Amino acid sequence: MDQVVATLLNTMSEQLGAMIAVLGAGIAAGFAGSGSAIGIAIADEAAAGVMTEDPGKFGLALLLLALPGTQGIYGLLAAFFAILKVGLLGGAAVKVTIWQGIGIFGSLMPIAIACYYSAVAQGKASAGAILLISKRPEEIGKAVILPAMVETYAVLALLLSIILMNSIKL
Amino acid sequence: MAQAESYGYTVARLRAMENRLLDSGAFQRMLDAEDLQGALKVLNETCYSSWLVEMKNEGAFDGAIEAELNYVYRETEQFVPDKALVALCKMPYDFHNIKVLLKSSFLQKSGGSRRWDLLTRLGNVTPEFLIESLESEDYRLLPFGLRSAVPQLLAQWEQFHDILEIERQLDDLLFSEMLKLAAKLERKGIVEWVRGRIDAENVRNLLRLRRMQVENSRIAGFLHDGGIISVERLLSLTGEPLESWGRLLAYTDLTGALSQLQEISDFDRLIVDVEKALDDYVLRIVEQTRFSSTSPEYVLYYLWLKEMEAKNVRIILVGKANGASRDVLRGLLRHVSG
């Protein structure tokens, strides 16, 4: 009986590590995606308002609306890295301990948190930029740069997540 | 009050509508026009064109200006999350209509004629409804405290025949109702805007009363409570020379408007200049909101700009119809560009 319990616990601990990493991947993709959806919705409202009066601004507005969407992509990218690392997407099966799983989970947190908040903030910045182009369409270059500044922090978070993940030896 | 975040669409749309406001170039071209016909021709190239075609004769431009304003109010009402914001801007027109109807009724009693041509459709309540309520003496459905105020004012007229007092009480009621509505919206900026409008009206009244040389003891009744500057503070100005008003109120934002009082040569001209500066003062209270993409106060800012545009168009057209000089008219124009 004791041997059965020991085998079960051993199997669980082997899989638990991978599952914690998968949980981290899910959170990273989910939070970053949610942030992007909220950010785009904020910018969408502004774009819809401007386009009601001036449908010709669709092209310019689209460029600005797309900006908060990138965080969702970063989250997905980091999640892919994580599940590749634990060998869930083909390749040889990798044994992941609980501590390694927790490490991968932790490495995904910068991308999950920074992408969520930066996407929402970028949505607000994009909405402001859409107001700018509603009055001065010739300033589209500057209008894109302003919300793009927010992007920096999502990129830094992605970079950190990748470095942290790579630092965990399986 | 709806969350500020829900104003994203509203602010963006109003920002786009701001592009349709007449700019200084359009006003300049209207000023440069030889006569009324020339000015109307320039106006015909703007958003007013659709209303100008309905004009029966050249002199009926007031109808076109009112129709454009009415269109903007109706349009804004459709997409603004809090309709009370638009109602707040339209409320003075309801009180204007009530004043016209009451005065018409008093005139009629003394053998004069009704002046329903002065009624405006810009209010929250249609003129037809107000006429019906007054003629049937059924005041139950009148809004903004008019339900109880109108019968009281009618009784007061029967007793004292003092039209100035009736106007004063209606203005008092207007501002208290505006403050009440603004308080319900729970936004500091909106309340401040109403308080600024009360300040502007109080200063305007102070100047007019001084021109009419009304005794200081009677002035208090014409000042309205609720402004940023207290009635007591304003009353203390009555004993001071006009030149020092700006200095005495230097701690307030009104000081810019009152700087006009430094150079007094012609009192009538001075009042016109101060009135213009007071309109700018009211605009400045909500001006900062144009840097926000979700500020409800931006609705007030845009509607006030539109009101000022309509005022400018009216000033130019009336001036052109009466042969006023270009320089005089230019001096009367309000700040409109957003």
Side-chain angles (χ1 to χ4, degrees), chain B residues 225-289:
Chain B
D225 283 320
I228 297 169
I229 305 163
S230 69
V231 169
E232 293 73 31
R233 189 79 192 101
L234 288 169
L235 279 173
S236 71
L237 298 177
T238 52
E240 304 289 339
L242 285 176
E243 293 88 338
S244 62
W245 284 16
R247 185 176 48 79
L248 292 167
L249 294 178
Y251 65 97
T252 68
D253 293 337
L254 258 175
T255 186
L258 297 177
S259 63
Q260 312 281 338
L261 299 172
Q262 297 298 323
E263 301 148 19
I264 308 164
S265 49
D266 171 9
F267 209 100
D268 289 336
R269 174 74 206 181
L270 174 83
I271 287 182
V272 171
D273 286 345
V274 172
E275 282 195 2
K276 187 181 147 187
L278 288 172
D279 283 340
D280 287 344
Y281 161 73
V282 173
L283 182 70
R284 274 202 305 279
I285 296 172
V286 281
E287 199 171 27
Q288 291 299 317
T289 63

Side-chain angles (χ1 to χ4, degrees), chain B residues 8-204:
Chain B
Y9 174 84
T10 305
V11 172
R13 187 158 173 193
L14 290 175
R15 261 321 252 262
M17 283 167 75
E18 219 184 87
N19 291 335
R20 290 208 304 259
L21 289 173
L22 270 60
D23 57 10
S24 51
F27 288 129
Q28 187 57 48
R29 286 173 58 216
M30 285 177 75
L31 286 171
D32 289 340
E34 286 290 311
D35 50 15
L36 178 63
Q37 204 178 11
L40 285 171
K41 212 170 165 183
V42 176
L43 197 61
N44 213 9
E45 296 164 14
T46 68
C47 55
Y48 287 81
S49 61
S50 43
W51 317 114
L52 289 175
V53 286
E54 291 170 15
M55 223 165 66
K56 286 172 190 151
N57 56 61
E58 273 184 9
F61 52 76
D62 249 338
I65 297 170
E66 187 180 309
E68 168 64 14
L69 258 182
N70 208 4
Y71 167 75
V72 168
Y73 275 129
R74 268 188 289 120
E75 193 75 3
T76 312
E77 235 166 18
Q78 281 175 14
F79 60 81
V80 70
D82 292 292
K83 308 234 176 312
L85 270 174
V86 182
L88 194 62
C89 295
K90 289 169 83 172
M91 207 189 282
Y93 294 111
D94 290 313
F95 280 77
H96 162 85
N97 281 346
I98 282 289
K99 281 182 195 173
V100 170
L101 288 172
L102 287 178
K103 282 181 192 173
S104 284
S105 133
F106 303 152
L107 267 174
Q108 233 181 337
K109 281 177 189 165
S110 54
S113 59
R114 296 187 297 206
R115 292 298 312 270
W116 288 359
D117 54 311
L118 297 174
L119 292 171
T120 172
R121 308 200 74 80
L122 292 170
N124 292 292
V125 184
T126 62
E128 289 79 14
F129 177 78
L130 292 178
I131 292 169
E132 201 186 315
S133 299
L134 262 76
E135 287 196 336
S136 60
E137 295 182 11
D138 181 3
Y139 313 115
R140 285 173 302 167
L141 296 176
L142 287 177
F144 312 128
L146 290 167
R147 176 186 170 176
S148 53
V150 169
Q152 277 172 19
L153 293 171
L154 285 168
Q156 215 174 321
W157 169 258
E158 294 299 334
Q159 223 178 337
F160 304 109
H161 284 72
D162 185 353
I163 193 71
L164 211 58
E165 175 58 19
I166 285 172
E167 276 207 44
R168 191 195 67 76
Q169 287 188 30
L170 277 171
D171 285 341
D172 244 358
L173 182 62
L174 164 67
F175 288 120
S176 72
E177 288 294 320
M178 280 179 85
L179 272 176
K180 246 191 255 175
L181 191 56
K184 273 188 201 159
L185 289 167
E186 293 171 346
R187 290 278 303 187
K188 191 170 172 259
I190 297 170
V191 176
E192 287 298 293
W193 183 76
V194 175
R195 294 181 73 198
R197 284 195 70 167
I198 296 173
D199 281 340
E201 184 65 17
N202 281 344
V203 171
R204 207 172 281 139

Side-chain angles (χ1 to χ4, degrees), chain A residues 22-118:
Chain A
V22 168
L23 178 68
I27 290 175
F31 267 73
S34 304
S36 281
I38 296 171
I40 290 177
I42 293 169
D44 257 346
E45 275 193 28
V50 170
M51 283 189 292
T52 309
E53 294 301 315
D54 187 358
K57 297 248 165 67
F58 175 71
L60 298 177
L62 188 65
L63 190 66
L64 292 160
L65 295 181
L67 286 175
T70 51
Q71 279 85 341
I73 299 170
Y74 298 158
L76 192 67
L77 195 66
F80 265 121
F81 275 129
I83 49 180
L84 268 175
K85 194 167 179 78
V86 296
L88 290 178
L89 269 183
V94 182
K95 193 181 166 192
V96 185
T97 65
I98 292 179
W99 290 111
Q100 285 167 335
I102 290 172
I104 293 172
F105 182 91
S107 71
L108 288 165
M109 287 306 104
I111 196 81
I113 297 166
C115 278
Y116 178 83
Y117 285 105
S118 70

